[in-house]
Structures are given as structure tokens and as C-alpha cells.
Amino acid sequence: TKEENQLVHNFNASITFDQKFYHQDIQGSIAHVTMLAKQAIITDAERDTIISALKEICSDIESGKLQITEEYEDIHSFVESVLIERTGDTGKKLHTGRSRNDQVALDMKLYTRDEVLATDELVKELMNTLLDLMKEHIDTYMPGFTHLQKAQPVTLAHHIGAYFEMFKRDRPPARLPKCEKRLRSRTAGPLGAGALAGTTYPLDREYTAILLGFTGPTLNSMDSVSDRDYLIEYLSALSTIMMHLSRFCEEIILWNSNEYRFIELDDAYSTGSSIMPQKKN
């Protein structure tokens, strides 16, 4: 019955970093409350009231009208508290048949799925830029190096093409798409798993999963709320992408170093004073 100790609150609080899930949390709640009305667990009028308020909350957060503050433990309690403030007892029905466990699992999966797609678009944009450079420098010659020693003449297009191939492996049908595909698969929709063993409410998990872009719900409730494999998979893909980027950055550093000079390849070719690529005259 005593007030919570501030140190305990700080230890349990996650809102400083999970506040970025606000869009996914509201998205999941809208799907959940839509399903509750379909199953006649709440009325259509209650559903409409809650959905309208949730969309308003999302809009207010994005516009800066509503600030996410650290007095709340996490983004889930923040959204729910604001919802109840705006809708009264109707807002309390949102959490019917749902646990923080399956709610958190869902938010994390939705957020990661969005990040995978965003990262994939950035890699695609980078590849298009590299492709443009390759087309522009088909006749730009430079020395190819092995073990930091001048080895064979190559074109800048060919050199950049090596990185194009690296990033291509990061896109379909390789790393990122496999991660995103798994996040949409039948073993992806965790809502309805409850704390660990489901709920007595007659939920329609298939319906909720489809509303959220999954092909179906998870098959085991305990695995549903504890699975974080996809995060490791995504981080692995990001690590590989960053390794490729790091290699490319190091190339640029070497090209601009005074330690690197290249010899005249042929009298017909222009000669420069550094490793920087030279176009054929």
C-alpha cells in the first residue's frame, strides 16, 4: 500500500527507450480492440470510441502536442493512461484479453519489421548511387591493389562494382528480406498469447494477426512472449552491412592518403599524382 520507491521505479522503467514504439503500440491496440468488438467482447460503440482516441493520441504525439514523460513506466502504460483520461471507463476495456507480455512482444516485432524495411530501402538507395557511379566511370582507370601493393590496372567502375555486389547480398533474397519474411510468417503474430498461456476470453488470434500484416498467429504461447531470435538475426544483418560500409570508407581514406601514388600505366593514359582514379583522355 506504500508509494513505490523511486529507485525501484527507475530500475523497472523503460520509457526512455521504448517510447519509440508508440506508433506500433497504438497500431497493435487498434487491431486488438477491433478484434474484441468482432468477438462481441466489447460493443462497436466502445470500439469506435477507443480507436478514435488512439488515433488522436498518435497524432498529438507526432505533432508535439502530447509529450511522452518519464513519470510513466513504459510507453504502454503511457498510452493506456492517456486513453483512459480521454475516454473514461471505456478506455479501461482496451486491455481485455491482453497481457503486457504479448503486447511487448508484438510492439517489438512490429518495430523491428518496420526497421528492416527502412534499412532495406536505404541499402537499395545506396546501390542505385553506386550503380550511377559505375556507369559514369566505365573508362576511369586506377591501380588495383593487393596487400596494399599496386598490382593490376582496373577501372573505377569495376572497383565500385565489388561493393555493389556486397550490398546486393544484403538484399533479396539474402539477409534483410529473410528477416522481414520471417517476421511476417505464420510464427509471427503473438497477440492472444497472454502472459504465457493464453486467456479465457474467446479471442480470434487469426483475425488479429492478419490485421497486423502477419500470415497467422504464433503456435506456442510460451515461445510467443519469449522469442527474441529475430532481433539477433536483424543485428547480424546490420553488422554485415556496417562491415561493408566500413570497408568502403577505408578505401576512400586510402585513396586520399599521401602514402599512395600510382605509376603511369601507359603513355595514352593520363597520369595523376595520387591513387585517386584518373579518366582516360
Side-chain angles (χ1 to χ4, degrees):
T1 59
K2 295 181 180 179
E3 184 177 347
E4 182 183 25
N5 182 281
Q6 188 61 41
L7 287 175
V8 175
H9 175 82
N10 294 342
F11 181 76
N12 286 325
S14 59
I15 197 165
T16 55
F17 52 87
D18 69 17
Q19 61 180 280
K20 65 179 63 177
F21 295 168
Y22 76 88
H23 179 78
Q24 290 77 18
D25 192 73
I26 291 173
Q27 179 186 2
S29 292
I30 290 175
H32 180 67
V33 78
T34 300
M35 179 274 298
L36 291 178
K38 173 181 174 295
Q39 297 299 100
I41 297 172
I42 64 173
T43 67
D44 289 348
E46 290 170 331
R47 173 201 62 200
D48 294 343
T49 297
I50 293 173
I51 291 178
S52 178
L54 286 172
K55 289 181 177 180
E56 184 181 77
I57 291 170
C58 187
S59 177
D60 288 349
I61 292 174
E62 291 175 345
S63 67
K65 184 178 178 180
L66 178 61
Q67 297 295 321
I68 300 175
T69 59
E70 294 184 17
E71 64 184 281
Y72 298 93
E73 181 178 333
D74 50 40
I75 189 61
H76 325 292
S77 56
F78 170 80
V79 171
E80 193 171 343
S81 295
V82 176
L83 175 68
I84 293 171
E85 286 177 8
R86 298 187 178 189
T87 64
D89 288 341
T90 299
K92 297 179 181 180
K93 296 185 178 183
L94 169 63
H95 209 53
T96 304
R98 186 173 66 172
S99 166
R100 276 288 183 267
N101 290 4
D102 58 349
Q103 184 179 3
V104 170
L106 173 69
D107 289 3
M108 183 70 78
K109 280 192 172 180
L110 291 177
Y111 179 82
T112 305
R113 192 175 72 187
D114 291 343
E115 289 298 298
V116 168
L117 293 173
T119 303
D120 192 39
E121 283 301 310
L122 290 173
V123 174
K124 180 181 178 181
E125 182 180 351
L126 173 59
M127 290 179 64
N128 284 332
T129 301
L130 292 178
L131 187 59
D132 290 340
L133 286 170
M134 290 164 65
K135 291 177 180 178
E136 182 182 349
H137 292 285
I138 292 175
D139 293 320
T140 302
Y141 296 88
M142 64 179 293
F145 283 71
T146 175
H147 303 290
L148 300 182
Q149 300 298 311
K150 303 177 190 70
Q152 295 175 285
V154 296
T155 63
L156 180 58
H158 189 67
H159 198 129
I160 292 176
Y163 291 93
F164 182 88
E165 293 299 319
M166 295 177 204
F167 292 117
K168 185 169 70 174
R169 290 194 295 271
D170 296 326
R171 298 201 67 243
R175 298 179 183 95
L176 286 173
K178 282 186 178 180
C179 183
E180 194 274 338
K181 183 179 180 180
R182 217 179 317 279
L183 286 169
R184 286 186 183 275
S185 72
R186 180 165 182 80
T187 58
L191 269 190
L196 81 159
T199 175
T200 56
Y201 285 98
L203 306 183
D204 187 339
R205 298 190 63 218
E206 291 275 354
Y207 181 69
T208 307
I210 292 172
L211 286 178
L212 293 168
F214 300 115
T215 57
T218 50
L219 303 181
N220 183 283
S221 60
M222 294 180 71
D223 178 59
S224 303
V225 297
S226 62
D227 171 33
R228 297 296 185 270
D229 297 358
Y230 58 92
L231 291 174
I232 299 174
E233 188 174 26
Y234 178 44
L235 290 172
S236 175
L238 289 179
S239 296
T240 304
I241 292 171
M242 288 304 297
M243 182 267 290
H244 291 156
L245 288 170
S246 177
R247 288 181 60 181
F248 193 39
C249 290
E250 184 64 20
E251 293 274 16
I252 297 172
I253 291 172
L254 292 175
W255 289 350
N256 285 279
S257 170
N258 288 329
E259 296 298 319
Y260 290 86
R261 307 282 179 176
F262 70 86
I263 61 176
E264 183 176 348
L265 299 179
D266 187 277
D267 291 337
Y269 297 166
S270 63
T271 304
S273 60
S274 74
I275 188 177
M276 292 304 289
Q278 301 291 314
K279 274 198 172 183
K280 181 179 178 181
N281 287 329

